[in-house]
C-alpha cells in the first residue's frame, strides 16, 4: 500500500546530501516541520518551515535536551491512519500526520573516539532523536523513517520511483534499517559505560558487512562484518573468500610483530610456513620461501615494507593467493597484476583490536587479545650458560613466531629466519619431531639453531631431543613442576635456556 507523504519532520545533525531531498519533497507539496539548524537550512533553500516549538507550544528547554518529546510530534508519527479511535483522538487534539521523519543521532561514537571529556560524551547521548526513530519505525504502516545520512540516496530513489508515495515494503525496509541504527547506538553507549562497570553482558554491533561466496567450505554460507575498505585497498584479483580472510588476519597479525625490521611472512591455513627478516624485502622473501617451498604454493604472503621490483620479480615466480604490503612500487605492481586472479592488498592501517570472541557451545567466549610480545627484558636465564647476543636475537625472533602458531608448537630458527615448526600437535614431543623432520626435508642443518616453545616442557624429553640434533639455546615460559629436570639437562650439555614467564597458547 502506498502512502502519500504530506508532512515531514526533519531534524538532523549532518546536513550534507540533504538538499536534493528537500527540493524533491517540496516539488511534491510536502509541508516541512523542523527545528534549530535544520530549520535554518531548509529556509535558506527558500521553503517555509513550521518550527517544532510552534507545533508543540513549548520552547526548546534544558539546553536543547527537550525539544520534540511532545504528543503533537509523537502523536503525528504514531497514530494509526486506519484506526477510527486514533483518527478521532488526532482530530480532537489537533494532531496532524507526520508521514516522513528524517532524523539522525548525535555523534556519540565519534565523540568517544576523539578522547573528549565524559561530560561532553554524555551530552552526545541522543534522547529525542532515538525516540523519534523508534516511533517512526514502529508505525512503518503509516510513516517512513530515515535514520541516517547513509540512507539518503536510497530515500531519493524511493521518492522518485513512487512519485512521493512510498510503498509498504519501502517503509518496512527503512524501519528495519532504523532499528539497526538504534540498536548499534545503544550498544555503543553500553560499551562506553561498561568500561568501568564491567557488567557480565556481551554486546557487539558491526553495521558494515558483506556476503562471501561461501564459508569455510562450499556447502557453508559465509559473511564478513566490518569495514575492510578502511584497512585494505584491493589493487587486483577476485573477491576475498572466508578462508582468505582468516589467513589474511593471521598474516597481518604476525608481520605486525616485526615493527623495527623488514619482515616477510608466508601463511598457510593460519600457520607460518615461512618467516624472515633482512635488509631488503627481496632477501626477506627468499629466506621465508626457503623454509618451506612446498607449502608456500597457494599461500598468503605479507610484508611490512614496500614491494619493489626486485622483490616482485622473485615473488612473481610463485603461485600464491594473496600478497599484502603497505606500499608497492609502480613497476612492481604492474608486474604482479599480470595474473588477474592474484589478490593484491594495500594495507592502510594496523589491526588495533584489544579483544577477541567467537561462538562456543550455546554462547560466546571472549578474551583479551594476546598483545604481549616477549622482549629481552622478559628473559630470565635459568641455566649456567647465558645465551649469546646472536642466540638471544634468534630466541626472540622464534618466540614471535611461536606466539602466532597453533598449539602445541615448537619453532626452530636462526636469527632472522624460520627453519621449521611443528604445529597443532597433541604433544610437544610430536611438535618437535615434526619440526626437525621438516627442517631436514628442506635441507636445513639445525646445529646452532634455537628452539622456542609456546608453553612449558612437562618433561626433559624435548631438550634432550633438541640437544641430540645440535640445538644450542631454548626459550620457553617455564612453570612446570619438572622445570629443574630440563634445566639440569641443559647445564650438563652447555645449552642455554631462558624463561619468559608468559605462555602463548593459540587454539
Amino acid at each position: 500500500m502506498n502512502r502519500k507523504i504530506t508532512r515531514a519532520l526533519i531534524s538532523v545533525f549532518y546536513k550534507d546530501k540533504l538538499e536534493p531531498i528537500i527540493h524533491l519533497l517540496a516539488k511534491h507539496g510536502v509541508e516541512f516541520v523542523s527545528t534549530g539548524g535544520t530549520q535554518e537550512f531548509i529556509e535558506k533553500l527558500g521553503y517555509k518551515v513550521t518550527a517544532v516549538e510552534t507545533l508543540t507550544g513549548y520552547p526548546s528547554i534544558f539546553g536543547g535536551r527537550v525539544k520534540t518529546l511532545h504528543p503533537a510530534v509523537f502523536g503525528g508519527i504514531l497514530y494509526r491512519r486506519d484506526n477510527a479511535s486514533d483518527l478521532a483522538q488526532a482530530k480532537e487534539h489537533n494532531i496532524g500526520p507526520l508521514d516522513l521523519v528524517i532524523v539522525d543521532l548525535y555523534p556519540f561514537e565519534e565523540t568517544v573516539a576523539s578522547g573528549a571529556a565524559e561530560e561532553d560524551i554524555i551530552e552526545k547521548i541522543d534522547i529525542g532523536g532515538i525516540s523519534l526513530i523508534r516511533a517512526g519505525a514502529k508505525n512503518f504502516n503509516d510513516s517512513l523513517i530515515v535514520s541516517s545520512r547513509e540512507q539518503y540516496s536510497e530515500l531519493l530513489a524511493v521518492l522518485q520511483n513512487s512519485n512521493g508515495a512510498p510503498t509498504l515494503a519501502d517503509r518496512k525496509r527503512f524501519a528495519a534499517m532504523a532499528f539497526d541504527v538504534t540498536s548499534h547506538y545503544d550498544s555503543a553507549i553500553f560499551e562506553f559505560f561498561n568500561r568501568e562497570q564491567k557488567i557480565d553482558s556481551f554486546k557487539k554491533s558491526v553495521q558494515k558487512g558483506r556476503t562471501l561466496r561461501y564459508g569455510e567450505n562450499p556447502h557453508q554460507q559465509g559473511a564478513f562484518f566490518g569495514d575492510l575498505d578502511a584497512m585494505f585497498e584491493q589493487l587486483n584479483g577476485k573477491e576475498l573468500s572466508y578462508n582468505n580472510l582468516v589467513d589474511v588476519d593471521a598474516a597481518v597479525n604476525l608481520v605486525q610483530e616485526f615493527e623495527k625490521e623488514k619482515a616477510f611472512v608466508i601463511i598457510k591455513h593460519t600457520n607460518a610456513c615461512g618467516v624472515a627478516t633482512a635488509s631488503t624485502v627481496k632477501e626477506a622473501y627468499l629466506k621465508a620461501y626457503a623454509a618451506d617451498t612446498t607449502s608456500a604454493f597457494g599461500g598468503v604472503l605479507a610484508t611490512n615494507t614496500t614491494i619493489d621490483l626486485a622483490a616482485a620479480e622473485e615473488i612473481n615466480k610463485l603461485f600464491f593467493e594473496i600478497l599484502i604490503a603497505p606500499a608497492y612500487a609502480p613497476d612492481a605492481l604492474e608486474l604482479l597484476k599480470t595474473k588477474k586472479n592474484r589478490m593484491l592488498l594495500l594495507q592502510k592501517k594496523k589491526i588495533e583490536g584489544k579483544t577477541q570472541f567467537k561462538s562456543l557451545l550455546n554462547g560466546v567466549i571472549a578474551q583479551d587479545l594476546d598483545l604481549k610480545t616477549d622482549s629481552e627484558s622478559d628473559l630470565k636465564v635459568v641455566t649456567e650458560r647465558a645465551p649469546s647476543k646472536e642466540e638471544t636475537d634468534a630466541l626472540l625472533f622464534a618466540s614471535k613466531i611461536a606466539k602466532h602458531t597453533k598449539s602445541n608448537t615448537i619453532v626452530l630458527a636462526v636469527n632472522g629466519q624460520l627453519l621449521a615448526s611443528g604445529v597443532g600437535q597433541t604433544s610437544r614431543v610430536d611438535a618437535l619431531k615434526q619440526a626437525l623432520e621438516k627442517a631436514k626435508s628442506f635441507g636445513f642443518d639445525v646445529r646452532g639453531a634455537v628452539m622456542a616453545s609456546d608453553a612449558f616442557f612437562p618433561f626433559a624429553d624435548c631438550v634432550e631431543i633438541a640437544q641430540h640434533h645440535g640445538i644450542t639455546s631454548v626459550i620457553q615460559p617455564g612453570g612446570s613442576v619438572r622445570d629443574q629436570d630440563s634445566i639440569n639437562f641443559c647445564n650438563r650439555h652447555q645449552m642455554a635456556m631462558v624463561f619468559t614467564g608468559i605462555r602463548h597458547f593459540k587454539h
Side-chain angles (χ1 to χ4, degrees):
M1 179 189 301
N2 293 69
R3 290 280 191 199
K4 182 72 176 177
I5 296 172
T6 61
R7 192 163 67 150
L9 170 62
I10 307 175
S11 180
V12 295
F13 188 89
Y14 299 106
K15 298 166 186 65
D16 49 308
K17 300 182 181 179
L18 183 62
E19 184 175 341
I21 294 170
I22 301 298
H23 289 313
L24 185 56
L25 290 172
K27 180 181 177 182
H28 288 291
V30 175
E31 176 189 341
F32 297 111
V33 177
S34 190
T35 185
T38 309
Q39 179 181 345
E40 293 177 13
F41 178 83
I42 298 172
E43 288 173 338
K44 285 181 179 178
L45 294 176
Y47 303 113
K48 181 181 177 181
V49 180
T50 300
V52 167
E53 293 83 355
T54 301
L55 193 70
T56 64
Y58 276 87
S60 174
I61 57 177
F62 308 130
R65 284 188 166 198
V66 179
K67 289 184 287 190
T68 57
L69 296 169
H70 191 280
V73 175
F74 282 86
I77 300 170
L78 286 165
Y79 86 82
R80 292 159 290 187
R81 285 30 162 198
D82 58 357
N83 183 292
S85 176
D86 283 10
L87 289 168
Q89 285 187 319
K91 183 177 181 181
E92 176 187 354
H93 297 288
N94 195 30
I95 296 175
L98 289 167
D99 312 301
L100 171 65
V101 179
I102 304 177
V103 179
D104 58 14
L105 300 171
Y106 291 155
F108 178 83
E109 288 181 282
E110 294 88 337
T111 305
V112 173
S114 73
E118 183 175 284
E119 180 181 355
D120 296 325
I121 292 171
I122 298 304
E123 284 306 310
K124 288 299 186 286
I125 298 177
D126 208 309
I127 303 301
I130 205 161
S131 300
L132 289 167
I133 292 172
R134 290 179 64 85
K138 177 176 180 177
N139 197 26
F140 66 85
N141 194 58
D142 301 302
S143 295
L144 177 67
I145 175 65
V146 180
S147 52
S148 167
R149 59 180 168 170
E150 303 298 327
Q151 301 164 15
Y152 286 177
S153 59
E154 187 170 345
L155 170 64
L156 202 60
V158 165
L159 294 174
Q160 290 167 339
N161 295 335
S162 67
N163 199 30
T167 66
L168 178 61
D170 291 329
R171 300 193 299 273
K172 195 168 187 179
R173 171 169 169 75
F174 275 86
M177 291 192 291
F179 285 122
D180 176 39
V181 168
T182 59
S183 63
H184 178 80
Y185 195 77
D186 282 338
S187 293
I189 295 169
F190 169 77
E191 286 185 9
F192 171 74
F193 278 91
N194 209 40
R195 292 178 183 179
E196 178 182 328
Q197 302 303 322
K198 307 298 183 185
I199 297 168
D200 287 332
S201 177
F202 179 82
K203 288 180 176 63
K204 187 67 177 178
S205 175
V206 182
Q207 288 185 296
K208 291 191 176 183
R210 61 176 71 182
T211 300
L212 303 175
R213 296 196 302 273
Y214 51 83
E216 200 161 6
N217 299 292
H219 64 279
Q220 297 170 268
Q221 293 183 343
F224 174 81
F225 297 98
D227 189 359
L228 272 181
D229 293 335
M231 188 160 190
F232 300 108
E233 179 183 351
Q234 185 162 353
L235 305 175
N236 192 66
K238 57 188 179 181
E239 182 182 344
L240 293 166
S241 71
Y242 181 99
N243 291 331
N244 289 154
L245 289 169
V246 172
D247 282 340
V248 165
D249 178 72
V252 170
N253 273 290
L254 176 53
V255 82
Q256 211 165 270
E257 294 281 352
F258 303 94
E259 290 185 334
K260 298 178 181 179
E261 303 167 279
K262 291 182 178 179
F264 205 101
V265 306
I266 303 174
I267 296 290
K268 199 69 172 289
H269 295 294
T270 74
N271 291 307
C273 57
V275 183
T277 58
S279 59
T280 68
V281 66
K282 173 185 174 180
E283 184 185 356
Y285 163 71
L286 290 173
K287 287 168 65 178
Y289 175 66
D292 188 342
T293 57
T294 300
S295 298
F297 182 87
V300 172
L301 285 54
T303 184
N304 58 2
T305 192
T306 301
I307 296 289
D308 57 24
L309 181 60
E313 287 173 339
E314 292 296 334
I315 296 169
N316 195 53
K317 299 173 184 177
L318 174 70
F319 170 77
F320 63 90
E321 288 276 342
I322 303 169
L323 174 60
I324 308 156
Y328 296 83
D331 48 3
L333 184 61
E334 183 181 359
L335 174 62
L336 292 167
K337 289 174 73 172
T338 54
K339 304 289 176 62
K340 67 176 183 178
N341 288 330
R342 177 184 282 168
M343 289 164 273
L344 304 176
L345 301 181
L346 177 72
Q347 186 175 348
K348 296 187 282 188
K349 59 186 294 189
K350 294 181 179 180
I351 295 176
E352 298 174 343
K354 294 183 178 180
T355 59
Q356 63 181 169
F357 51 88
K358 63 180 178 180
S359 60
L360 190 74
L361 300 174
N362 62 344
V364 173
I365 192 168
Q367 67 172 352
D368 296 336
L369 281 168
D370 183 359
L371 299 177
K372 173 62 178 175
T373 298
D374 296 330
S375 65
E376 191 166 354
S377 62
D378 296 315
L379 305 184
K380 178 184 178 183
V381 179
V382 295
T383 50
E384 294 169 356
R385 185 176 79 80
S388 66
K389 177 64 170 64
E390 184 177 357
E391 285 175 321
T392 298
D393 291 342
L395 289 169
L396 292 173
F397 173 85
S399 176
K400 291 175 181 177
I401 302 170
K403 171 185 169 182
H404 291 273
T405 306
K406 289 290 193 302
S407 300
N408 289 308
T409 185
I410 291 291
V411 170
L412 305 180
V414 292
N415 188 26
Q417 185 178 27
L418 169 67
L419 301 183
S421 58
V423 303
Q425 298 302 300
T426 52
S427 82
R428 205 154 298 280
V429 169
D430 285 344
L432 174 55
K433 289 178 178 179
Q434 182 189 57
L436 289 166
E437 180 60 32
K438 189 172 184 180
K440 180 182 178 181
S441 70
F442 288 101
F444 288 111
D445 183 352
V446 299
R447 286 176 297 179
V450 304
M451 175 172 72
S453 175
D454 60 329
F456 65 63
F457 298 121
F459 304 99
D461 45 10
C462 281
V463 292
E464 292 171 3
I465 296 170
Q467 186 274 334
H468 177 73
H469 287 81
I471 290 165
T472 61
S473 193
V474 180
I475 185 171
Q476 59 137 320
S480 168
V481 295
R482 295 178 177 269
D483 276 345
Q484 197 59 46
D485 292 349
S486 295
I487 294 170
N488 291 341
F489 181 87
C490 288
N491 284 335
R492 288 196 299 271
H493 295 84
Q494 294 76 52
M495 294 175 71
M497 184 160 63
V498 295
F499 287 178
T500 64
I502 302 293
R503 189 180 73 187
H504 292 294
F505 270 167
K506 185 175 176 63
H507 296 109

